[in-house]
Amino acid sequence: MTVRPVLKYPDARLSQPCDPVGAEDVSALIADMFDTMYAAYGRGLAGPQIGVMTRVFVMDATWKDGPRSPIAVLNPVIVPVGAEAEGEEACLSVPGVSARVIRPATIDLQYETADRLPRRVTLTGAAARIVQHETDHLDGLLHWDRMSPGARAALIAEYEALT
Ligand code: NI
C-alpha cells in the first residue's frame, strides 16, 4: 500500500495508448492506485497517471460527499446510451484548471473486476463522466482533448501560466 507520484502534463506517458491488462496479478497495483487517488483527493485515477501503461483505473464517485464506493475497472469497453451532457472535469495530471466537456450522459460499461470477473453496468451522472474521463486516459487523451481546438488551446495556456 503505497501512495505513488502522479504524473503531470506534459509527461509523454499521458498521451500514449495503453495495452490491455493480461493475466498478471494487479491486486497490489490497485491497492496503490486507491491509496494514491484518495491521498490526492481525486475521484478517479488511471494507470498511465502513475506510469503504468495498462488498461486499468480506479474510481470513487461518492466519497467526497458521502460514503466511499471504490470501484476498480480493468479493460473497460464503453457504449454510449442516449443524450449528451456538459459537465466540469478536473484531472490530477492537470492540477489547477478545469474543463467543460460534453459527453454521453449515460453509458453501458463492460469491464473486468480486480478478481477478473466480467461485469456490465449502466451508469449515469458523475459515475458515467468519471468512467469516460478515466477511459480516455487509457487511450492517451486528456479532458481538454474533448474540447474545441480554441477552448483546448486556451485551457492549455491557462495551465501553463500556472506551472
Ligand atoms: Ni484525469
Side-chain angles (χ1 to χ4, degrees):
M1 304 270 277
T2 308
V3 174
R4 302 205 198 176
V6 177
L7 303 181
K8 307 292 194 299
Y9 178 86
D11 191 291
R13 286 165 285 187
L14 296 171
S15 58
Q16 293 168 10
C18 295
D19 296 322
V21 182
E24 66 268 28
D25 181 0
V26 292
S27 54
L29 168 65
I30 287 170
D32 284 1
M33 290 178 73
F34 277 119
D35 286 350
T36 303
M37 182 190 77
Y38 287 122
Y41 205 62
R43 295 195 297 173
L45 182 80
Q49 294 183 275
I50 56 168
V52 173
M53 304 306 292
T54 53
R55 298 185 71 80
V56 54
F57 67 80
V58 297
M59 62 180 283
D60 186 331
T62 59
W63 79 284
K64 289 191 179 181
D65 308 306
R68 287 189 176 189
S69 56
I71 303 172
V73 172
L74 280 56
N75 298 327
V77 177
I78 293 171
V79 178
V81 180
E84 295 185 317
E86 187 176 59
E88 200 82 30
E89 298 184 19
C91 182
L92 297 176
S93 292
V94 193
V97 301
S98 63
R100 291 199 67 81
V101 184
I102 298 169
R103 299 184 185 276
T106 304
I107 58 168
D108 275 334
L109 170 67
Q110 295 181 54
Y111 67 104
E112 293 171 52
T113 67
D115 297 326
R116 316 314 289 267
L117 300 172
R119 285 280 167 79
R120 181 173 190 159
V121 293
T122 300
L123 299 172
T124 191
R129 182 166 295 275
I130 294 167
V131 164
Q132 292 175 84
H133 177 113
E134 302 310 326
T135 301
D136 273 354
H137 276 300
L138 307 182
D139 294 324
L141 298 174
L142 296 172
H143 50 23
W144 55 40
D145 296 319
R146 295 289 186 187
M147 301 174 77
S148 69
R152 177 182 185 276
L155 198 57
I156 291 174
E158 183 184 333
Y159 173 74
E160 288 176 340
L162 294 171
T163 57

